[in-house]
Amino acid sequence: MKRVKQACICQTLHFMLKEDTDHDYAVGLIQDEIRNYKASLEKGGGEYKILEETAQPDGSVIIRIIKQYSSAPVGSYFDTIN
């Protein structure tokens, strides 16, 4: 029999500007979307760690995140990822 001892998923998310929209307004939408995403992470109850959040020259944002996969324990994953 096998059991999952530790499991995480690593994602790189690109919050991109909405096309055909005023630039400043589109950047504001991105910030709202990021706030909502982070709130959903908190509400979801799973463990996560944002590794990097980088604003791009065009105003979009890239976030690297590692988060708990399903309900499996994260073990030492958060300690070993930089």
Side-chain angles (χ1 to χ4, degrees):
M1 178 192 300
K2 67 178 178 179
R3 292 189 189 264
V4 175
K5 298 293 280 181
Q6 301 178 52
C8 283
I9 185 168
C10 185
Q11 296 178 321
T12 302
L13 307 170
H14 191 177
F15 291 86
M16 300 173 65
L17 299 175
K18 185 174 181 175
E19 295 180 22
D20 301 327
T21 305
D22 176 68
H23 183 267
D24 291 337
Y25 180 70
V27 170
L29 291 175
I30 292 291
Q31 296 306 316
D32 290 343
E33 186 176 3
I34 290 170
R35 269 192 299 278
N36 290 338
Y37 176 72
K38 289 178 179 178
S40 73
L41 289 171
E42 288 293 324
K43 185 178 179 183
E47 294 184 57
Y48 70 93
K49 182 177 183 181
I50 295 176
L51 304 175
E52 184 179 343
E53 184 172 335
T54 309
Q56 301 301 296
D58 68 350
S60 65
V61 176
I62 294 178
I63 293 179
R64 287 184 51 234
I65 184 171
I66 186 169
K67 59 186 179 177
Q68 185 174 18
Y69 181 77
S70 189
S71 61
V74 295
S76 61
Y77 275 107
F78 288 180
D79 301 331
T80 59
I81 299 292
N82 50 351

Coordinates of all heavy atoms in Angstrom, one line a residue:
M1 N 0.8 -1.2 0.0 CA 0.0 0.0 0.0 C 0.9 1.2 0.0 O 1.9 1.3 0.6 CB -0.9 0.0 1.2 CG -1.7 1.2 1.3 SD -2.6 1.6 2.8 CE -3.6 0.2 3.1
K2 N 0.5 2.2 -0.7 CA 1.2 3.5 -0.7 C 0.4 4.6 -0.1 O -0.8 4.6 -0.2 CB 1.7 3.9 -2.1 CG 0.6 4.2 -3.1 CD 1.1 4.6 -4.4 CE -0.1 4.9 -5.3 NZ 0.2 5.3 -6.6
R3 N 1.1 5.6 0.4 CA 0.5 6.8 1.0 C 1.3 8.0 0.6 O 2.5 7.9 0.6 CB 0.4 6.7 2.5 CG -0.6 5.6 3.0 CD -0.8 5.8 4.5 NE -1.5 4.7 5.0 CZ -2.8 4.7 5.2 NH1 -3.5 5.7 5.0 NH2 -3.4 3.6 5.7
V4 N 0.6 9.1 0.4 CA 1.3 10.3 0.1 C 1.9 10.9 1.5 O 1.1 11.1 2.4 CB 0.4 11.3 -0.6 CG1 1.1 12.7 -0.7 CG2 -0.1 10.8 -1.9
K5 N 3.1 11.0 1.6 CA 3.7 11.5 2.8 C 3.8 13.0 2.8 O 3.6 13.7 3.8 CB 5.2 10.9 3.0 CG 5.2 9.4 3.1 CD 4.6 9.0 4.4 CE 5.5 9.1 5.5 NZ 5.1 8.7 6.8
Q6 N 4.1 13.6 1.6 CA 4.2 15.1 1.5 C 3.8 15.4 0.1 O 4.2 14.7 -0.8 CB 5.6 15.6 1.7 CG 6.2 15.3 3.1 CD 7.6 15.8 3.2 OE1 7.9 16.9 2.9 NE2 8.5 14.9 3.6
A7 N 3.2 16.6 -0.1 CA 2.8 17.0 -1.5 C 2.6 18.5 -1.5 O 1.9 19.0 -0.7 CB 1.6 16.2 -2.0
C8 N 3.1 19.1 -2.5 CA 2.9 20.5 -2.8 C 2.9 20.7 -4.3 O 3.4 19.9 -5.1 CB 4.0 21.4 -2.2 SG 3.9 21.6 -0.5
I9 N 2.4 21.8 -4.7 CA 2.4 22.2 -6.1 C 3.0 23.6 -6.2 O 2.8 24.5 -5.4 CB 0.9 22.2 -6.7 CG1 1.0 22.5 -8.2 CG2 0.0 23.2 -6.0 CD1 -0.3 22.2 -8.9
C10 N 3.9 23.7 -7.2 CA 4.6 25.0 -7.4 C 4.0 25.6 -8.7 O 3.9 24.9 -9.7 CB 6.1 24.8 -7.5 SG 7.0 26.3 -7.7
Q11 N 3.6 26.9 -8.6 CA 3.0 27.5 -9.7 C 3.6 28.9 -10.0 O 4.1 29.5 -9.1 CB 1.5 27.8 -9.5 CG 0.7 26.5 -9.4 CD -0.8 26.9 -9.1 OE1 -1.1 27.8 -8.4 NE2 -1.7 26.1 -9.7
T12 N 3.7 29.2 -11.3 CA 4.1 30.6 -11.6 C 2.8 31.2 -12.3 O 2.4 30.7 -13.3 CB 5.3 30.6 -12.6 OG1 6.4 29.9 -12.0 CG2 5.7 32.0 -13.0
L13 N 2.3 32.2 -11.7 CA 1.1 32.8 -12.2 C 1.4 34.2 -12.8 O 2.1 35.0 -12.2 CB 0.1 33.0 -11.1 CG -0.3 31.8 -10.3 CD1 -1.1 32.1 -9.0 CD2 -1.0 30.8 -11.1
H14 N 0.9 34.5 -14.0 CA 1.1 35.8 -14.6 C -0.3 36.5 -14.6 O -1.2 36.1 -15.4 CB 1.6 35.6 -16.0 CG 2.1 36.9 -16.6 ND1 2.7 36.9 -17.9 CD2 2.1 38.2 -16.2 CE1 3.0 38.1 -18.2 NE2 2.7 38.9 -17.2
F15 N -0.4 37.5 -13.8 CA -1.6 38.4 -13.8 C -1.4 39.4 -14.9 O -0.7 40.4 -14.7 CB -1.8 39.0 -12.4 CG -2.1 38.0 -11.4 CD1 -1.1 37.3 -10.7 CD2 -3.4 37.7 -11.1 CE1 -1.5 36.4 -9.7 CE2 -3.8 36.8 -10.1 CZ -2.8 36.1 -9.4
M16 N -2.0 39.2 -16.0 CA -1.8 40.0 -17.2 C -2.8 41.1 -17.3 O -4.0 41.0 -16.9 CB -1.8 39.1 -18.5 CG -0.8 38.0 -18.4 SD -0.9 36.8 -19.8 CE -0.6 37.9 -21.1
L17 N -2.4 42.2 -18.0 CA -3.3 43.3 -18.2 C -4.4 43.0 -19.2 O -4.2 42.2 -20.2 CB -2.5 44.5 -18.8 CG -1.4 45.1 -18.0 CD1 -0.6 46.1 -18.7 CD2 -1.9 45.6 -16.7
K18 N -5.6 43.5 -18.9 CA -6.7 43.3 -19.9 C -6.4 44.1 -21.1 O -6.2 45.3 -21.0 CB -8.0 43.7 -19.2 CG -9.2 43.4 -20.0 CD -10.5 43.7 -19.2 CE -11.7 43.4 -20.1 NZ -12.9 43.5 -19.3
E19 N -6.6 43.5 -22.2 CA -6.3 44.2 -23.5 C -7.5 45.2 -23.8 O -8.6 45.1 -23.3 CB -6.2 43.2 -24.6 CG -5.0 42.4 -24.5 CD -4.8 41.4 -25.7 OE1 -5.4 41.6 -26.7 OE2 -4.1 40.4 -25.5
D20 N -7.2 46.2 -24.6 CA -8.2 47.2 -25.0 C -8.8 47.9 -23.8 O -10.0 48.3 -23.8 CB -9.3 46.5 -25.8 CG -8.8 45.9 -27.1 OD1 -7.8 46.4 -27.7 OD2 -9.4 44.8 -27.5
T21 N -8.0 48.2 -22.8 CA -8.4 48.9 -21.6 C -7.3 49.9 -21.3 O -6.1 49.7 -21.5 CB -8.5 47.9 -20.4 OG1 -9.4 46.9 -20.8 CG2 -9.1 48.6 -19.2
D22 N -7.8 51.1 -20.8 CA -6.8 52.1 -20.4 C -5.8 51.5 -19.5 O -6.1 50.7 -18.6 CB -7.6 53.2 -19.6 CG -6.7 54.3 -19.1 OD1 -6.1 55.0 -19.9 OD2 -6.5 54.3 -17.8
H23 N -4.5 51.8 -19.7 CA -3.4 51.2 -18.9 C -3.5 51.3 -17.4 O -3.4 50.4 -16.7 CB -2.0 51.8 -19.4 CG -0.9 51.1 -18.8 ND1 -0.3 51.6 -17.6 CD2 -0.2 50.0 -19.1 CE1 0.7 50.8 -17.3 NE2 0.8 49.8 -18.1
D24 N -3.8 52.6 -17.0 CA -3.9 52.8 -15.5 C -5.0 52.0 -14.9 O -4.9 51.4 -13.8 CB -4.0 54.3 -15.2 CG -2.8 55.0 -15.5 OD1 -1.7 54.4 -15.5 OD2 -2.9 56.3 -15.7
Y25 N -6.1 51.9 -15.6 CA -7.3 51.2 -15.2 C -7.0 49.7 -15.1 O -7.3 49.0 -14.2 CB -8.5 51.5 -16.1 CG -9.7 50.7 -15.7 CD1 -10.4 51.0 -14.5 CD2 -10.2 49.7 -16.4 CE1 -11.6 50.3 -14.1 CE2 -11.4 49.0 -16.1 CZ -12.0 49.3 -14.9 OH -13.2 48.6 -14.5
A26 N -6.3 49.2 -16.2 CA -5.9 47.8 -16.2 C -5.0 47.4 -15.1 O -5.1 46.3 -14.5 CB -5.3 47.5 -17.6
V27 N -4.0 48.3 -14.8 CA -3.1 48.0 -13.6 C -3.9 47.9 -12.3 O -3.7 47.1 -11.5 CB -2.0 49.1 -13.6 CG1 -1.2 49.0 -12.3 CG2 -1.1 49.0 -14.8
G28 N -4.9 48.8 -12.2 CA -5.8 48.7 -11.0 C -6.5 47.4 -10.9 O -6.7 46.8 -9.8
L29 N -7.0 47.0 -12.1 CA -7.7 45.7 -12.1 C -6.8 44.5 -11.7 O -7.2 43.6 -11.0 CB -8.3 45.4 -13.5 CG -9.4 46.3 -14.0 CD1 -9.8 45.9 -15.4 CD2 -10.6 46.1 -13.1
I30 N -5.5 44.6 -12.1 CA -4.6 43.6 -11.7 C -4.4 43.6 -10.2 O -4.4 42.5 -9.6 CB -3.2 43.8 -12.4 CG1 -3.3 43.6 -13.9 CG2 -2.1 43.0 -11.8 CD1 -3.4 42.2 -14.3
Q31 N -4.2 44.7 -9.6 CA -4.1 44.8 -8.2 C -5.3 44.2 -7.4 O -5.1 43.5 -6.4 CB -3.8 46.3 -7.7 CG -2.5 46.8 -8.3 CD -1.3 45.9 -8.0 OE1 -1.1 45.5 -6.8 NE2 -0.4 45.7 -8.9
D32 N -6.5 44.5 -8.0 CA -7.7 44.0 -7.4 C -7.7 42.4 -7.5 O -8.1 41.7 -6.5 CB -8.9 44.5 -8.1 CG -9.2 46.0 -7.7 OD1 -8.6 46.5 -6.7 OD2 -10.0 46.6 -8.5
E33 N -7.3 41.9 -8.7 CA -7.3 40.5 -8.9 C -6.3 39.8 -8.0 O -6.6 38.7 -7.4 CB -7.0 40.2 -10.3 CG -7.1 38.7 -10.7 CD -6.8 38.5 -12.2 OE1 -6.5 39.4 -12.9 OE2 -6.9 37.3 -12.6
I34 N -5.2 40.4 -7.7 CA -4.1 39.8 -6.8 C -4.7 39.8 -5.4 O -4.5 38.8 -4.7 CB -2.8 40.6 -7.0 CG1 -2.2 40.3 -8.3 CG2 -1.9 40.2 -5.8 CD1 -1.0 41.2 -8.6
R35 N -5.3 40.9 -5.0 CA -5.9 41.0 -3.6 C -6.9 39.9 -3.4 O -6.9 39.2 -2.4 CB -6.5 42.3 -3.3 CG -5.6 43.3 -2.7 CD -6.3 44.5 -2.2 NE -7.0 45.3 -3.2 CZ -6.4 46.1 -4.1 NH1 -5.2 46.4 -3.9 NH2 -7.1 46.8 -5.0
N36 N -7.8 39.7 -4.5 CA -8.8 38.7 -4.4 C -8.2 37.3 -4.4 O -8.7 36.4 -3.7 CB -9.8 38.8 -5.6 CG -10.7 40.0 -5.5 OD1 -10.9 40.5 -4.4 ND2 -11.2 40.5 -6.6
Y37 N -7.1 37.1 -5.2 CA -6.5 35.8 -5.2 C -5.9 35.4 -3.8 O -6.0 34.3 -3.3 CB -5.4 35.7 -6.3 CG -4.6 34.5 -6.3 CD1 -5.2 33.3 -6.7 CD2 -3.3 34.4 -5.8 CE1 -4.5 32.1 -6.7 CE2 -2.6 33.2 -5.8 CZ -3.2 32.1 -6.3 OH -2.5 30.9 -6.3
K38 N -5.2 36.4 -3.2 CA -4.6 36.2 -1.9 C -5.7 35.9 -0.8 O -5.5 35.1 0.0 CB -3.7 37.4 -1.5 CG -2.4 37.4 -2.3 CD -1.6 38.7 -1.9 CE -0.3 38.7 -2.7 NZ 0.5 39.9 -2.4
A39 N -6.8 36.7 -0.9 CA -7.9 36.4 0.0 C -8.5 35.0 -0.2 O -8.8 34.4 0.8 CB -9.0 37.5 -0.2
S40 N -8.5 34.5 -1.4 CA -9.0 33.2 -1.6 C -8.1 32.1 -1.1 O -8.5 31.1 -0.6 CB -9.3 32.9 -3.1 OG -8.1 32.8 -3.8
L41 N -6.8 32.4 -1.1 CA -5.8 31.5 -0.5 C -6.0 31.4 1.0 O -6.0 30.4 1.6 CB -4.4 32.0 -0.8 CG -3.9 31.8 -2.2 CD1 -2.5 32.5 -2.4 CD2 -3.8 30.4 -2.6
E42 N -6.2 32.6 1.6 CA -6.5 32.6 3.1 C -7.7 31.9 3.4 O -7.8 31.1 4.4 CB -6.5 34.1 3.6 CG -5.2 34.8 3.6 CD -4.2 34.2 4.6 OE1 -4.7 33.8 5.7 OE2 -3.0 34.2 4.3
K43 N -8.8 32.2 2.7 CA -10.1 31.6 2.9 C -10.1 30.1 2.7 O -10.7 29.3 3.4 CB -11.1 32.2 2.0 CG -12.5 31.8 2.3 CD -13.5 32.5 1.4 CE -14.9 32.0 1.7 NZ -15.9 32.6 0.8
G44 N -9.3 29.6 1.8 CA -9.2 28.2 1.4 C -8.6 27.3 2.5 O -8.9 26.1 2.6
G45 N -7.8 27.9 3.4 CA -7.3 27.2 4.6 C -6.1 26.3 4.3 O -5.5 25.8 5.3
G46 N -5.7 26.1 3.1 CA -4.5 25.3 2.8 C -3.3 26.1 3.1 O -3.3 27.4 3.1
E47 N -2.2 25.4 3.3 CA -0.9 26.1 3.5 C -0.4 26.6 2.2 O -0.5 25.9 1.1 CB 0.1 25.2 4.2 CG -0.3 24.8 5.6 CD 0.7 23.9 6.3 OE1 1.9 24.4 6.3 OE2 0.4 22.8 6.7
Y48 N 0.3 27.7 2.2 CA 0.9 28.2 1.0 C 2.1 29.2 1.3 O 2.1 29.7 2.5 CB -0.1 29.0 0.1 CG -0.6 30.3 0.6 CD1 0.1 31.5 0.3 CD2 -1.6 30.3 1.5 CE1 -0.4 32.7 0.9 CE2 -2.1 31.5 2.1 CZ -1.4 32.7 1.7 OH -1.9 33.9 2.3
K49 N 2.9 29.4 0.4 CA 4.0 30.4 0.6 C 4.3 31.0 -0.8 O 4.5 30.4 -1.8 CB 5.3 29.6 1.0 CG 6.5 30.5 1.3 CD 7.7 29.7 1.9 CE 8.8 30.6 2.2 NZ 10.0 29.8 2.7
I50 N 4.2 32.4 -0.8 CA 4.5 33.1 -2.0 C 6.0 33.3 -2.0 O 6.6 33.9 -1.1 CB 3.8 34.5 -2.0 CG1 2.3 34.2 -2.1 CG2 4.3 35.4 -3.1 CD1 1.4 35.5 -2.0
L51 N 6.6 32.8 -3.0 CA 8.1 32.8 -3.1 C 8.6 34.1 -3.7 O 9.7 34.6 -3.4 CB 8.6 31.6 -4.0 CG 8.1 30.2 -3.5 CD1 8.6 29.2 -4.5 CD2 8.7 29.9 -2.2
E52 N 7.8 34.6 -4.6 CA 8.2 35.8 -5.3 C 7.0 36.5 -6.0 O 6.1 35.9 -6.5 CB 9.2 35.4 -6.4 CG 9.9 36.5 -7.2 CD 10.8 36.0 -8.3 OE1 11.3 34.9 -8.2 OE2 11.1 36.8 -9.2
E53 N 7.0 37.8 -5.9 CA 6.0 38.6 -6.5 C 6.7 39.8 -7.3 O 7.3 40.6 -6.6 CB 5.0 39.2 -5.5 CG 3.9 39.9 -6.1 CD 2.8 40.3 -5.1 OE1 2.7 39.6 -4.1 OE2 2.1 41.3 -5.4
T54 N 6.7 39.7 -8.6 CA 7.5 40.7 -9.4 C 6.6 41.5 -10.4 O 5.9 40.9 -11.2 CB 8.5 39.9 -10.2 OG1 9.2 39.0 -9.4 CG2 9.5 40.8 -10.9
A55 N 6.6 42.8 -10.2 CA 5.9 43.7 -11.2 C 6.7 43.7 -12.4 O 8.0 43.9 -12.4 CB 5.8 45.0 -10.6
Q56 N 6.1 43.6 -13.6 CA 6.7 43.6 -14.9 C 6.6 45.1 -15.4 O 5.8 45.9 -15.0 CB 6.0 42.7 -15.8 CG 5.9 41.2 -15.4 CD 7.3 40.7 -15.2 OE1 8.1 40.6 -16.1 NE2 7.7 40.4 -13.9
P57 N 7.5 45.4 -16.4 CA 7.5 46.8 -16.9 C 6.2 47.2 -17.5 O 5.9 48.4 -17.4 CB 8.6 46.7 -18.0 CG 9.5 45.5 -17.6 CD 8.6 44.6 -16.9
D58 N 5.4 46.3 -18.0 CA 4.1 46.7 -18.6 C 3.0 46.9 -17.5 O 1.9 47.2 -17.8 CB 3.6 45.7 -19.6 CG 3.3 44.3 -19.1 OD1 3.6 44.1 -17.9 OD2 2.7 43.5 -19.8
G59 N 3.3 46.6 -16.2 CA 2.3 46.7 -15.1 C 1.7 45.4 -14.7 O 1.0 45.3 -13.7
S60 N 1.9 44.3 -15.5 CA 1.5 43.0 -15.1 C 2.3 42.5 -13.9 O 3.3 43.1 -13.6 CB 1.5 42.0 -16.2 OG 2.8 41.8 -16.7
V61 N 1.9 41.4 -13.3 CA 2.6 40.9 -12.1 C 2.8 39.4 -12.3 O 1.8 38.7 -12.6 CB 1.9 41.2 -10.8 CG1 2.5 40.6 -9.6 CG2 1.7 42.7 -10.6
I62 N 4.0 38.9 -11.9 CA 4.2 37.5 -11.9 C 4.4 37.0 -10.4 O 5.2 37.7 -9.7 CB 5.4 37.1 -12.7 CG1 5.2 37.4 -14.2 CG2 5.8 35.6 -12.5 CD1 6.3 37.1 -15.1
I63 N 3.7 36.0 -10.1 CA 3.8 35.5 -8.7 C 4.2 34.0 -8.8 O 3.6 33.2 -9.5 CB 2.4 35.6 -7.9 CG1 2.1 37.0 -7.7 CG2 2.5 34.8 -6.6 CD1 0.8 37.3 -7.0
R64 N 5.3 33.7 -8.0 CA 5.7 32.3 -7.9 C 5.2 31.8 -6.5 O 5.4 32.5 -5.5 CB 7.2 32.1 -7.9 CG 7.8 32.3 -9.3 CD 9.3 32.1 -9.4 NE 9.6 30.8 -8.8 CZ 10.6 30.7 -7.8 NH1 11.2 31.7 -7.4 NH2 10.9 29.5 -7.3
I65 N 4.5 30.7 -6.4 CA 3.9 30.3 -5.2 C 4.0 28.8 -5.1 O 4.0 28.0 -6.1 CB 2.4 30.7 -5.2 CG1 1.7 30.3 -3.8 CG2 1.6 30.1 -6.3 CD1 0.3 30.9 -3.6
I66 N 4.1 28.3 -3.9 CA 4.1 26.9 -3.6 C 2.9 26.7 -2.6 O 2.8 27.5 -1.7 CB 5.4 26.3 -3.0 CG1 5.4 24.8 -2.9 CG2 5.8 27.0 -1.7 CD1 6.7 24.2 -2.6
K67 N 2.1 25.7 -2.9 CA 0.9 25.5 -2.0 C 0.6 24.1 -1.8 O 1.0 23.2 -2.6 CB -0.3 26.3 -2.5 CG -0.7 26.0 -3.9 CD -1.9 26.9 -4.3 CE -2.3 26.6 -5.7 NZ -3.5 27.4 -6.1
Q68 N -0.1 23.8 -0.8 CA -0.5 22.5 -0.4 C -1.3 21.8 -1.5 O -2.2 22.5 -2.1 CB -1.3 22.6 0.9 CG -1.7 21.2 1.5 CD -2.4 21.4 2.8 OE1 -2.9 22.5 3.2 NE2 -2.5 20.4 3.6
Y69 N -1.0 20.6 -1.8 CA -1.7 19.9 -2.8 C -2.8 19.0 -2.1 O -2.5 18.2 -1.3 CB -0.8 19.0 -3.6 CG -1.5 18.2 -4.7 CD1 -1.8 18.8 -5.9 CD2 -1.8 16.8 -4.5 CE1 -2.5 18.1 -6.9 CE2 -2.4 16.1 -5.5 CZ -2.7 16.8 -6.7 OH -3.4 16.1 -7.7
S70 N -4.0 19.3 -2.5 CA -5.2 18.6 -1.9 C -5.1 18.7 -0.4 O -4.9 19.8 0.1 CB -5.1 17.1 -2.3 OG -6.3 16.4 -1.9
S71 N -5.2 17.7 0.4 CA -5.1 17.8 1.8 C -3.9 17.1 2.4 O -3.7 16.8 3.6 CB -6.4 17.2 2.5 OG -6.5 15.8 2.2
A72 N -3.0 16.8 1.4 CA -1.7 16.1 1.8 C -0.9 17.0 2.7 O -0.9 18.2 2.5 CB -0.9 15.7 0.6
P73 N -0.1 16.5 3.6 CA 0.8 17.3 4.5 C 1.9 17.9 3.6 O 2.3 17.3 2.6 CB 1.3 16.4 5.5 CG 1.1 15.0 5.0 CD -0.1 15.1 4.0
V74 N 2.3 19.1 3.9 CA 3.4 19.8 3.2 C 4.8 19.4 3.7 O 5.8 19.6 2.9 CB 3.2 21.3 3.2 CG1 2.0 21.8 2.5 CG2 3.3 21.9 4.6
G75 N 4.9 18.8 4.8 CA 6.1 18.4 5.3 C 7.2 19.5 5.4 O 6.9 20.6 5.8
S76 N 8.3 19.2 4.8 CA 9.4 20.2 4.9 C 9.6 21.0 3.5 O 10.5 21.7 3.3 CB 10.7 19.5 5.2 OG 11.0 18.5 4.1
Y77 N 8.6 20.9 2.6 CA 8.7 21.6 1.4 C 8.9 23.1 1.5 O 9.7 23.7 0.8 CB 7.4 21.4 0.5 CG 7.4 20.1 -0.3 CD1 6.6 19.0 0.0 CD2 8.2 20.0 -1.4 CE1 6.6 17.9 -0.7 CE2 8.2 18.8 -2.2 CZ 7.4 17.8 -1.8 OH 7.4 16.6 -2.6
F78 N 8.2 23.7 2.4 CA 8.3 25.1 2.6 C 9.7 25.5 3.1 O 10.2 26.6 2.9 CB 7.3 25.7 3.5 CG 5.9 25.7 2.9 CD1 4.8 26.1 3.7 CD2 5.6 25.3 1.7 CE1 3.5 26.2 3.2 CE2 4.3 25.3 1.1 CZ 3.3 25.7 1.9
D79 N 10.4 24.6 3.8 CA 11.7 24.9 4.3 C 12.8 24.8 3.3 O 13.8 25.4 3.4 CB 12.1 24.0 5.5 CG 11.1 24.1 6.6 OD1 10.5 25.1 6.8 OD2 10.9 23.0 7.3
T80 N 12.6 24.0 2.2 CA 13.6 23.7 1.3 C 13.5 24.6 0.0 O 14.4 24.6 -0.8 CB 13.6 22.2 0.8 OG1 12.3 21.9 0.3 CG2 13.8 21.3 2.0
I81 N 12.4 25.3 -0.2 CA 12.2 26.1 -1.4 C 12.6 27.5 -1.1 O 12.2 28.1 0.0 CB 10.7 26.1 -1.8 CG1 10.3 24.7 -2.2 CG2 10.5 27.0 -3.0 CD1 10.9 24.1 -3.4
N82 N 13.3 28.1 -2.0 CA 13.7 29.5 -1.8 C 13.1 30.4 -2.7 O 12.5 30.1 -3.7 CB 15.3 29.7 -1.8 CG 15.8 29.1 -3.1 OD1 15.2 28.4 -3.8 ND2 17.1 29.4 -3.3

